[in-house]
Amino acid sequence: MRIETYFVVDGKITIFKTPGARLLYGINLAAWLTLAGTTLQTVRGDPRGVTMDGEAFIDGTVVCAWVDGLAAGEDVENSLTFYFQCADGSKDSRTIHFKKRPG
């Protein structure tokens, strides 16, 4: 799996995205899962301003989704939140924020 460079903008994990690009995005939770002593069981995605192509899925220790589009506008939120449940019953979430790629 290719690793996309991200930036922390205003305290948020942010990836620059081309509006028309359909790409696979994910968050590797290996370190967190090891520390918690558990594994991933289920995941769902909640897109805002972008479109998920299909359902979110788990690939080992990574929560993933194919993402397309990007809403226009300065005050528009473009993000994808992964809500996941672990084998021990714990629940958590992580969010990727998207900004239009410059240029």
Side-chain angles (χ1 to χ4, degrees):
M1 178 179 290
R2 181 173 168 239
I3 299 190
E4 177 75 28
T5 302
Y6 69 88
F7 303 91
V8 178
V9 178
D10 298 327
K12 301 173 183 175
I13 295 173
T14 304
I15 295 176
F16 289 107
K17 182 181 181 314
T18 303
R22 176 187 174 266
L23 298 170
L24 178 63
Y25 291 97
I27 299 176
N28 190 337
L29 301 167
W32 182 84
L33 291 165
T34 298
L35 187 63
T38 191
T39 57
L40 292 168
Q41 188 173 43
T42 62
V43 65
R44 72 176 177 83
D46 182 19
R48 305 282 168 115
V50 295
T51 303
M52 261 188 358
D53 185 359
E55 299 295 323
F57 61 95
I58 297 167
D59 183 9
T61 59
V62 182
V63 288
C64 307
W66 287 95
V67 178
D68 194 7
L70 192 73
E74 205 52 40
D75 296 328
V76 177
E77 180 182 354
N78 288 286
S79 65
L80 173 61
T81 300
F82 292 101
Y83 294 94
F84 52 91
Q85 183 168 343
C86 297
D88 66 358
S90 62
K91 297 178 182 180
D92 209 332
S93 65
R94 299 288 187 280
T95 302
I96 300 173
H97 298 270
F98 300 99
K99 286 192 170 282
K100 183 178 179 184
R101 184 177 301 276

